[in-house]
Amino acid sequence: MSDIASLGELSGKRVLVRSDLNVPLDGPAEARVITDDGRIRASAPTIAALAGAGAKVLVTAHLGRPRGAHDPALSLAPVAARLGELIEAPVSFVPDTVGPQAQQAVAALGDGEVLVLENIRFNAAETSKDDAERGAFATELASLADAFVSDGFGVVHRKQASVYDVAQRLPHAMGALVATEIEVLRRLTETPERPYVVVLGGSKVSDKLGVIENLLAKADRLLIGGGMVFTFLRAQGHEVGTSLLEADQLDTCRDYLARAAETGVQILLPTDVVVDTAFPGGGRATSPSVVPADQIPADAMGLDIGPDSAKAFAEALADARTVFWNGPMGVFEVDEFAGGTRAVAHALTGIDGLSVVGGGDSAAAVRRLGFAEDAFGHISTGGGASLEYLEGKELPGIAVLES
Ligand code: ADP
Ligand code: MG
């Protein structure tokens, strides 16, 4: 796969980089504060390398879900400012994507300078399902540059104009971040050292059930926490109260449990759960308590795996040589429900082998809970993309670079 060296002499060339700068923000539209700059820091090396090589660097990225319309609260302006602090190159911002203002800003760009274009998803065409509409937009975007570098790992599973179509219209290469991510995913799928333990949690249940399908054939142990646990517990016939539940996935969960039993893959579900009377509003627990996983009261909501389960999960991770973890074990944003996530994160830091944390919230969780990033083998910037790769799906944004 071609890296940026394959683009030849970069000095004076306009290089469009698709990065994933989709960071969490807080505060009012006119004074947004970045609460976790992990993705900006992960994207900085490729941008800095291109600028260092004398390219005129145009950065395109999205922020949040503006649904094709301008939304001042989702402007990339604060992100551009943070990027400027992180790299030793001048970074400017233009509140336009492909229009005249953007064109003028590109024309004014000097060698080794960086320009961040406004949130690409302010244009509905970026995510359009209509190939022609998306293609026309990609043509406009491509006209700004001489080459394209794909470095937004968090979006490579999306067939979107700035990810996929633009690569068909410009000489292209893979950025260092995407290359690293793909290399780690290869190690997780091709010849993982054993025991290979997969930990799944989070709130996007049906998104993640798909990955179990593929990993059941590869992993030795599967530890399940977070919101998806309750669909499994329900599938086993237990009351789950008001916990997250995907009723249409009960058969799928039953099938996974049966198949795991047949093939000798160990599926570990929590034996105790931290519940509360409601989802924590305003970041605060109401009256949390620990109950056995098969005795969740009808009016209670499961918000974390319990302390016994956290201990069992940590033990099941202790001898692992390969770990992939995606999805917090509970609502880690609230201290009372962070115990499971903290225990799993801590167990990963002791792994003798490859430990991979995938998923935006999981990555944010380990930082928020105070773990050093270098205590993990790899912290992936893309949850959905990692999961689709692990499901065995082709990632359009990667496949297009091979052509
Ligand atoms: P990632 O971004 O790492 O892939 P997800 O987006 O799937 O993870 O899920 C992260 C969210 O899941 C967190 O905000 C967390 O509060 C939430 N979560 C975890 N456990 C539960 C639960 N039991 N009920 C509701 N939400 C949960
Ligand atoms: Mg998430």
Side-chain angles (χ1 to χ4, degrees):
M1 183 88 48
S2 43
D3 62 9
I4 61 175
S6 71
L7 296 173
E9 177 57 48
L10 289 173
S11 184
K13 257 194 201 167
R14 298 167 304 166
V15 179
L16 178 72
V17 189
R18 177 52 159 112
S19 299
D20 176 10
L21 304 176
N22 189 25
V23 291
L25 297 160
D26 223 348
E30 62 290 350
R32 301 290 271 167
V33 176
I34 297 165
T35 54
D36 179 29
D37 67 358
R39 283 181 169 159
I40 309 176
R41 278 186 286 123
S43 302
T46 295
I47 296 167
L50 291 167
K56 300 172 177 180
V57 188
L58 322 179
V59 181
T60 180
H62 76 281
L63 189 59
R65 296 169 186 262
R67 303 194 189 281
H70 187 271
D71 178 350
L74 295 176
S75 171
L76 279 171
V79 171
R82 181 73 188 119
L83 179 65
E85 291 165 7
L86 291 168
I87 65 172
E88 287 165 14
V91 176
S92 53
F93 169 76
V94 62
D96 186 14
T97 51
V98 297
Q101 243 192 307
Q103 291 165 20
Q104 276 166 27
V106 174
L109 209 56
D111 295 358
E113 292 180 3
V114 178
L115 172 70
V116 177
L117 304 173
E118 184 54 288
N119 191 339
I120 195 76
R121 289 195 192 163
F122 285 178
N123 301 70
E126 163 70 0
T127 56
S128 172
K129 296 281 176 255
D130 180 65
D131 290 351
E133 191 190 351
R134 231 182 35 244
F137 181 55
T139 298
E140 288 184 80
L141 190 60
S143 75
L144 296 175
D146 305 303
F148 174 66
V149 172
S150 178
D151 207 35
F153 181 68
V155 287
V156 291
H157 59 313
R158 305 283 188 209
K159 197 170 180 181
Q160 296 176 344
S162 70
V163 178
Y164 176 82
D165 306 83
V166 76
Q168 296 179 318
R169 288 161 170 78
L170 286 171
H172 52 254
M174 191 185 268
L177 175 61
V178 168
T180 305
E181 297 272 12
I182 294 291
E183 169 57 27
V184 168
L185 287 168
R186 286 218 171 99
R187 285 175 65 192
L188 287 178
T189 43
E190 282 167 17
T191 46
E193 267 197 79
R194 298 190 177 279
Y196 179 11
V197 184
V198 173
V199 191
L200 292 176
S203 57
K204 297 178 203 156
V205 181
S206 35
D207 280 17
K208 297 184 185 187
L209 287 175
V211 79
I212 297 179
E213 179 82 36
N214 208 34
L215 289 177
L216 266 182
K218 297 201 162 84
D220 300 301
R221 275 170 225 149
L222 202 54
L223 317 187
I224 300 179
M228 82 170 71
V229 133
F230 304 98
T231 306
F232 278 90
L233 291 173
R234 189 81 200 93
Q236 292 181 324
H238 305 307
E239 169 72 63
V240 296
T242 58
S243 310
L244 272 186
L245 176 69
E246 292 206 18
D248 56 346
Q249 301 291 338
L250 289 169
D251 285 339
T252 312
C253 290
R254 269 184 215 112
D255 174 56
Y256 291 153
L257 291 166
R259 261 198 285 162
E262 274 163 32
T263 56
V265 175
Q266 196 188 350
I267 294 191
L268 226 70
L269 297 174
T271 52
D272 58 347
V273 178
V274 185
V275 297
D276 205 341
T277 48
F279 193 84
R284 268 202 299 271
T286 314
S287 57
S289 63
V290 177
V291 299
D294 56 0
Q295 289 170 39
I296 298 176
D299 59 354
M301 180 183 283
L303 295 166
D304 192 15
I305 61 171
D308 289 349
S309 310
K311 199 161 160 262
F313 280 25
E315 277 163 15
L317 282 162
D319 67 341
R321 300 298 303 251
T322 307
V323 180
F324 174 70
W325 171 31
N326 176 282
M329 296 292 97
V331 181
F332 71 90
E333 296 90 340
V334 177
D335 285 346
E336 286 86 345
F337 311 119
T341 303
R342 185 178 285 109
V344 164
H346 184 257
L348 255 71
T349 63
I351 298 298
D352 177 16
L354 175 65
S355 59
V356 180
V357 182
D361 291 289
S362 310
V366 303
R367 289 190 281 264
R368 186 193 157 101
L369 297 175
F371 292 92
E373 281 183 44
D374 59 10
F376 303 90
H378 178 71
I379 298 185
S380 174
T381 49
S386 313
L387 291 173
E388 291 201 10
Y389 186 100
L390 294 175
E391 273 178 58
K393 286 191 187 154
E394 180 178 90
L395 306 178
I398 299 299
V400 74
L401 301 178
E402 275 151 12
S403 57

